[in-house]
Amino acid sequence: MQKFNPEQAMCETRREFGEHGGVAPSISRSSTFTVMEPGTMPEIFEGLRGPYKDGCYLYSRHFNPTTNILARYLAAMEGSELAACTASGMSAISSALLQLCHCGDHIIASNTIYGGTYALLKDVFPQMGISTTFVDPSDTSGFKAAVKPETKVIYTETFANPTLKIADIPELSKISKKNKIKLVVDNTFTPVIVSPLKLGADVVVYSLTKFVNGASDIIAGAVCSGTDFIYQLMNLHTGRLMLLGPTMDPRAAFDIIQRLPHLPMRMREHSTRTLAAAELLFKMGIKTVYPGLPAHPQHKLAESMINQGYGYGGIMTVDCKTKDRAENFMSVLQNQEQFGLIAVSLGYFDTLISCSGSSTSSEISPDKQSEMGLSPGLVRFSIGYTGSLEKRLEQIERAVQKCLL
Ligand code: PLP
């Protein structure tokens, strides 16, 4: 089904060189930009001129030359017309949703998503008159049944955080198109692996903080979509990115630009190692969830959505049943085996482990956690690629023998 090659698309996009022929682009740090004639300025405010029209810049909360390079590279990766960079994943999500939804509107969201997004939809948006119905992403009929006349957005993650349930993007796209709803997909777990816009999504949001940057040293986000939507977000008088102001610093943009070329290579290695670890745990009889395992209930769906050659991603989960067992397992992994670091977040070159129910999903009540299939003992692994794979597997095996058998 998937014919898109994000790696090739990234290579084919126009490469930006620095001043004096630098192989790396220059960082443009100006907050404001001068124009030759005073009449140019009102034309920029009216949207008649601008960086994508004639190279005219105004002010860096609007567009900045360096963040625009990153935006262009991300758009190439995603197969979108345009992209906009933001200061965090959360600001990409909140700005995109607030652009699409106004007071009185309704969102249908997957019930298993990052805890911060869940809290935004459940607690913050109702204060603005925007309501959300949460449904199981592995059952498309739930989305269909939840559509109301005031529904404006279907919101899901590609592979859900942390349950790794998989959203059927082509089917959700059919529902959204039929009902004139926008399909917004958070693809943070699966950059280059899945290309949601190519499967029918309207907007893709990212926390670049994770795999895309890959070094756990920058908080950043992005929105990838059609030109119209990105222009709406950036409209000087009404755009949510322009007015809420979660602007990416050009220095952060530069760092991510320099790491983006090896993202496909990194994703391949994350996937290879996560599959090996998941296979080992599965063979040992441990309840392991990974979309690359044929035992994953939606493995075939995952297979039908992925771009070839990048595997199934770097995230897997292990159900230790209770929080105490999970904490003991994580402690043995980190402190006795030196396998991974107990930390939230994901997409680092080293393995990160956390107990989701009491950390990044703690915004979700225990009964809702159980409804979405999140056990209190679930340990989420973001598998890194340092060290020899053979030794890493031995470390996991010993920790499992000590703690879980
Ligand atoms: N989306 C997903 C799937 C996440 O896991 C996270 C953070 O963990 C976010 C969005 C929020 O990203 P950020 O921390 O960059 O705001």
Side-chain angles (χ1 to χ4, degrees), residues 348-364:
Y348 192 36
F349 49 73
D350 272 329
T351 295
L352 300 180
I353 43 180
S354 56
C355 180
S356 300
S358 47
S359 61
T360 49
S361 296
S362 58
E363 294 92 341
I364 306 170

Side-chain angles (χ1 to χ4, degrees), residues 245-357:
T247 310
M248 178 185 281
D249 188 293
R251 285 166 287 189
F254 175 84
D255 285 350
I256 303 173
I257 288 167
Q258 294 299 85
R259 290 157 186 180
L260 203 57
H262 45 73
L263 174 66
M265 242 168 64
R266 289 189 272 115
M267 291 315 294
R268 252 183 230 117
E269 194 60 18
H270 280 298
S271 293
T272 301
R273 285 168 177 249
T274 312
L275 180 62
E279 280 173 344
L280 168 70
L281 287 155
F282 187 74
K283 263 192 222 129
M284 294 177 83
I286 304 300
K287 200 172 163 199
T288 310
V289 176
Y290 182 59
L293 288 177
H296 187 292
Q298 295 174 286
H299 174 67
K300 286 270 173 242
L301 173 63
E303 199 176 27
S304 73
M305 293 202 308
I306 56 172
N307 296 315
Q308 292 310 305
Y310 306 101
Y312 293 82
I315 308 291
M316 65 169 196
T317 66
V318 168
D319 187 0
C320 303
K321 304 219 166 42
T322 66
K323 180 165 162 280
D324 285 350
R325 275 166 59 92
E327 285 177 351
N328 182 45
F329 183 42
M330 292 193 298
S331 173
V332 168
L333 281 167
Q334 174 182 272
N335 301 323
Q336 292 182 23
E337 294 296 341
Q338 279 74 52
F339 177 90
L341 305 165
I342 302 170
V344 296
S345 202
L346 49 115
Y348 192 36
F349 49 73
D350 272 329
T351 295
L352 300 180
I353 43 180
S354 56
C355 180
S356 300

Side-chain angles (χ1 to χ4, degrees), residues 3 14 55 76-77 118 152-153 159 190 215 222 228 236 279 304 308 319 323 338:
K3 297 285 176 279
R14 178 169 50 82
M77 173 181 96
Y118 182 89
K152 291 287 173 352
V153 165
F159 292 1
T190 44
D228 279 358
L236 281 153
E279 280 173 344
S304 73
Q308 292 310 305
D319 187 0
K323 180 165 162 280
Q338 279 74 52

Side-chain angles (χ1 to χ4, degrees), residues 87-93 113-117 155 157 159-161 186-189 205-210 218-221 344-346 360 380:
S88 66
M90 281 314 296
S91 60
I93 295 165
I113 47 177
Y114 166 57
T117 314
Y155 181 87
E157 291 171 1
F159 292 1
N161 183 1
D186 180 339
N187 201 41
T188 298
F189 275 25
V205 286
Y206 272 107
S207 167
L208 303 179
T209 313
K210 311 293 171 8
I218 292 175
I219 301 284
V344 296
S345 202
L346 49 115
T360 49
R380 186 186 72 189

Side-chain angles (χ1 to χ4, degrees), residues 33-50 54 56-58 236:
F33 298 83
T34 182
V35 288
M36 298 301 284
E37 304 295 337
T40 304
M41 201 171 278
E43 288 175 359
I44 301 176
F45 274 89
E46 283 167 44
L48 301 172
R49 308 184 71 159
D54 55 5
C56 267
Y57 284 89
L58 175 79
L236 281 153

